[in-house]
Amino acid sequence: MSHPKITQTRTFTDDFTEILSLTKDQVEDIDELTYLFLKEYTFSIDPDYKYEKANLKYMLAIARRLTSSQKTRFKKIVEEQKRHIDKNDFETYKNQRYLKKYKALNLSENRYDQFKLLLNDTEELVIKRNEEIISDNQPRKPYHYRFKEVANEILHGFLTPEELTTFNQIEEDDYKAIVDMRTDVIMNSYANSLDLDRNQAKQMFYYEENEPVKDKYGEYYNEWEKLELYREFMKSILTETQFKKYIPTLEERKNSIDEGIIHQNEQTKQKVERLINRKTFLQNNYLPALCKQRLSIDALLNEPIKQELPSLRKLYYEKIVTIYRQHKKEAIHHYKDLFPNHMLELEIELQLRALIPNATYFGKTQDFISKIPNNIRNVILTPTKSLKESQLALNKFEIENYENTGGTYGGWIKVMRPTKDEQFDSIQILSTLLLYPKVDDNINQIDLVLDLIK
């Protein structure tokens, strides 16, 4: 990987430079195409942007850089890969596993197809119930038992009593095999240090499978708390001699937690720098254009709407402060004093929300939005030429700000793009109306929220 702005990902040239005998010029050209493609994916503000379309355009651009023989070779490679994927896709593997696992049920082809669908329903319901259990702070059963419990509900009436008995025995045998395999792995991993017996290793597996997530008050444990719970558990199953040998491992895990958070703190310096730069650009460059359009809208608003805006603004600022306080409380709990840059990040994000309102934090707003006449809606949702230019300038700044503070492209990044629907329009309308027509009035809201969090 030779492009300085691409990291943590394999690119076309990583995979095909040697196979296709790419020249140095081809590598440089294709790396630049990859950089532009990834940058567009990350920062595009085109409302009609589609990844599939952009990816096709990118691949066609690469093809134009290849010779005829390279294109032919690449096409063959892609076809071979496709055949391999088709042969080894997840559904095929899953079907083969089910056929082998549930062979003893002796189901007809038609009943087996129905059985597979019911098992898919079972897996979905297990996940849903698990989320409910965590949110309600209920104790969790091992996945094996949760799966069997739901499966018996769903399969009751489809399988005969005898078939259901066979099904449950299959699940028990399958789980026993998993427990035995994991027990062996745990025993081997501690063979040179603790010399665990089989029962100790099995108890470790059960604990790891169902590690506590929340305390009795419904709060998520931080890493130190989870480690302390694990310490008490290990102390309960190990002999005194074994536990003394295990203490250094616990200390290493604690140090690793501390070091991980300290490393995150260093990495967050870039984010903080970006946020500070963004705040300055918004105040000096983007906010004036927003307020210019907001001022023209103000003349169109009737008195009832104008009178309602102060209470909505008050509610908005209270909401974003509440969110900040909650996030700060969670950060203190999970990071203690080892992550000061994250605290600073939260505070600057609060300032940005105060500077330019984002009605997403309101939740449902239809009661107020329904009072806005169509002519005002259309004005708000149709940016002026000046505002469009400012939006493009902001987008250009965002890219430069990201790259100039060490930002690179690649890795497992998923960009969430808003769906252009009625809810999106409602948020944009309310966000615009919450804005003050004068620039200084919006800047002053930063001091207001900072006073609220003191």
Side-chain angles (χ1 to χ4, degrees), residues 76 79 145 174 180 192 225 227 344 362 398 411 415:
K76 287 181 179 179
E79 289 173 349
Y145 293 105
D174 189 60
D180 289 342
N192 296 326
E225 289 168 337
L227 182 60
L344 184 55
F362 261 115
E398 297 283 19
V415 179

Side-chain angles (χ1 to χ4, degrees), residues 5-59:
K5 291 297 180 182
I6 303 175
T7 58
Q8 300 178 4
T9 195
R10 288 193 65 80
T11 65
F12 186 92
T13 56
D14 289 326
D15 292 332
F16 297 107
T17 295
E18 291 186 14
I19 296 173
L20 300 180
S21 299
L22 298 176
T23 66
K24 182 181 178 182
D25 288 343
Q26 284 178 315
V27 169
E28 290 178 356
D29 285 349
I30 293 172
D31 278 345
E32 183 65 16
L33 286 173
T34 305
Y35 158 68
L36 294 174
F37 167 68
L38 293 173
K39 180 167 70 171
E40 181 188 35
Y41 169 73
T42 306
F43 286 104
S44 176
I45 57 174
D46 180 357
D48 298 319
Y49 177 88
K50 295 289 186 295
Y51 173 81
E52 294 77 12
K53 184 178 178 181
N55 187 55
L56 176 60
K57 180 182 175 184
Y58 163 65
M59 293 307 298

Side-chain angles (χ1 to χ4, degrees), residues 214-265:
K214 292 183 178 182
D215 62 22
K216 62 181 180 180
Y217 304 108
E219 297 290 335
Y220 282 98
Y221 288 117
N222 64 34
E223 293 302 315
W224 296 286
E225 289 168 337
K226 286 194 284 187
L227 182 60
E228 183 57 31
L229 289 172
Y230 194 68
R231 173 191 175 94
E232 293 303 312
F233 161 72
M234 291 296 284
K235 189 174 183 180
S236 72
I237 68 167
L238 298 179
T239 65
E240 185 175 344
T241 302
Q242 285 176 318
F243 187 70
K244 284 181 180 179
K245 291 181 179 179
Y246 190 64
I247 288 176
T249 300
L250 290 168
E251 289 301 314
E252 285 179 15
R253 289 180 63 177
K254 180 184 178 300
N255 292 336
S256 179
I257 293 169
D258 294 350
E259 290 169 4
I261 296 173
I262 292 169
H263 179 66
Q264 280 184 279
N265 184 62

Side-chain angles (χ1 to χ4, degrees), residues 166-189:
T166 302
F167 172 84
N168 286 323
Q169 188 59 55
I170 290 170
E171 292 301 326
E172 285 301 319
D173 292 343
D174 189 60
Y175 184 62
K176 184 178 182 301
I178 292 172
V179 173
D180 289 342
M181 179 186 69
R182 286 290 301 140
T183 299
D184 288 340
V185 170
I186 292 170
M187 288 183 71
N188 290 334
S189 64

